Amino acid sequence: MDSTKKEGLPLIDPSKTELRHETAVASAMSNKGAHAALGYMVSAVLLILFNKAVLSSYSFPYANVITLFQMLCSCAFLYAMKRWKIISFTEGEPQSITGNPVTLVPLNTLFHTLPLAVSYLLYMLITMESVRGINVPMYTTLRRTTVAFTMIMEYLLTGRKHSSYVVGSVGIIILGAFVAGARDLSFDAYSYSIVFIANICTAVYLASIARIGKSSGLNSFGLMWCNGIICAPILLFWTSFSGDLEAMMSFPYLYSKGFQVVMFLSCIMAFLINYFVFLNTTLNSALTQTICGNLKDLFTIGLGWLLFGGLPFDLMNVVGQSLGFLGSGLYAYCKIRGK
């Protein structure tokens, strides 16, 4: 009798089973967050280069029209995938549920995302304009200061505070940006001002995603859809009123195959980057999203120098860039170590 009891199944500690389950879930989430960060960095590099090619190489003067095309393409992709039941707009929603037949989401949810859509429109318009009058290496250098604005906006909108390790790594990034730009011979006050305004808009936008995205019940696709159907009509009216759409018809390269391909690729990359921005910000944080933007700058700067030219070699610029990457690396280390 005793031997039978001893040979029975071993007892399982429920607490240990639950701990293993939570560890597996955390590991899966961290892997998903890493994939989101990597996807963002790849699409961001390509989007900057395609936008730069349209605005500079082809001298296309209508940045708002590019933004409009990107929004319309994004809405078309999302609508088709939603109707074909490939995606849903809310977490855990069956693909067959469409909500409002016109907006595809409830109207109260649409109104809830209105502040996010407004910040998105400003972010898109000013960011597009900021890349026009400045070379790619210096553009990415100045954009790196977005981390400071993001930390401030996160604290104001969500009350989030960061450790001294994170603040120190961000300080190194900002120092590197100022060192890199200290001897920029192509300095243009207007272009620099637009980039810094773009940084503020980016910080507000990312912090809004972290705040509104989680309270709206929408996933990344749903947030992208709400942004598109709110902002696209506004931008369509503005480009029509300003005469950009009519003037675009006389653009000399409008029917050039090369221009059309670059414009189409720009729209594809805009769709992908918006998805990864939402995914990365909701899975990780607004500041992590900004740091990912800094890490991808290495590839953007290298390709920008090769394809579009820009700054001549300067030791101060190299030191500044190196400090920026050092700060980004330290931030990544702090997040991995949980500091």
Side-chain angles (χ1 to χ4, degrees), residues 4 10 19 30 34 63 85 87 112 114 132 144 159 168 185 197-198 202 258 305-306 315 326 337-338:
T4 304
L19 180 60
S30 63
K85 302 178 182 179
I87 62 172
H112 182 74
L114 187 60
R132 179 198 300 275
R144 220 173 287 153
L185 300 180
I197 295 174
T202 302
W305 251 315
L306 292 174
L315 182 59
L326 174 62
R337 303 290 295 180

Side-chain angles (χ1 to χ4, degrees), residues 143-144 147 173 290-298 325 328:
R143 288 287 282 163
R144 220 173 287 153
V147 292
I173 293 171
T290 307
I291 297 295
C292 288
N294 292 337
L295 289 175
K296 57 86 175 148
D297 287 345
L298 174 63
F325 295 130
S328 300

Side-chain angles (χ1 to χ4, degrees), residues 188-258:
D188 178 69
Y190 172 78
S191 299
Y192 272 51
S193 300
I194 293 297
V195 173
F196 281 112
I197 295 174
N199 291 348
I200 297 174
C201 293
T202 302
V204 173
Y205 174 54
L206 294 178
S208 299
I209 293 176
R211 182 184 181 186
I212 297 175
K214 294 178 181 178
S215 62
S216 66
L218 297 172
N219 60 18
S220 299
F221 292 118
L223 292 171
M224 289 171 64
W225 172 255
C226 290
N227 277 352
I229 62 174
I230 292 174
C231 297
I234 298 174
L235 193 54
L236 178 62
F237 170 78
W238 175 252
T239 52
S240 301
F241 177 78
S242 63
D244 285 354
L245 285 178
E246 182 179 356
M248 180 197 67
M249 300 306 298
S250 60
F251 181 64
Y253 297 107
L254 184 62
Y255 299 102
S256 167
K257 295 296 182 183

Side-chain angles (χ1 to χ4, degrees), residues 92-253:
E93 171 198 3
Q95 280 80 354
S96 59
I97 297 177
T98 57
N100 189 300
V102 178
T103 63
L104 300 184
V105 294
L107 288 177
N108 60 335
T109 302
L110 194 64
F111 286 122
H112 182 74
T113 61
L114 187 60
L116 177 62
V118 172
S119 64
Y120 170 73
L121 182 61
L122 292 174
Y123 158 75
M124 288 288 288
L125 293 176
I126 298 178
T127 300
M128 183 65 66
E129 179 64 25
S130 67
V131 78
R132 179 198 300 275
I134 191 170
N135 56 70
V136 173
M138 278 312 305
Y139 171 80
T140 54
T141 299
L142 295 176
R143 288 287 282 163
R144 220 173 287 153
T145 61
T146 305
V147 292
F149 299 102
T150 304
M151 290 182 69
I152 295 172
M153 289 301 169
E154 272 193 324
Y155 176 75
L156 293 177
L157 295 180
T158 65
R160 181 167 187 170
K161 298 180 180 180
H162 297 277
S163 67
S164 58
Y165 297 98
V166 171
V167 174
S169 63
V170 169
I172 295 175
I173 293 171
I174 297 173
L175 175 63
F178 281 106
V179 171
R183 291 167 59 175
D184 178 19
L185 300 180
S186 60
F187 174 81
D188 178 69
Y190 172 78
S191 299
Y192 272 51
S193 300
I194 293 297
V195 173
F196 281 112
I197 295 174
N199 291 348
I200 297 174
C201 293
T202 302
V204 173
Y205 174 54
L206 294 178
S208 299
I209 293 176
R211 182 184 181 186
I212 297 175
K214 294 178 181 178
S215 62
S216 66
L218 297 172
N219 60 18
S220 299
F221 292 118
L223 292 171
M224 289 171 64
W225 172 255
C226 290
N227 277 352
I229 62 174
I230 292 174
C231 297
I234 298 174
L235 193 54
L236 178 62
F237 170 78
W238 175 252
T239 52
S240 301
F241 177 78
S242 63
D244 285 354
L245 285 178
E246 182 179 356
M248 180 197 67
M249 300 306 298
S250 60
F251 181 64
Y253 297 107

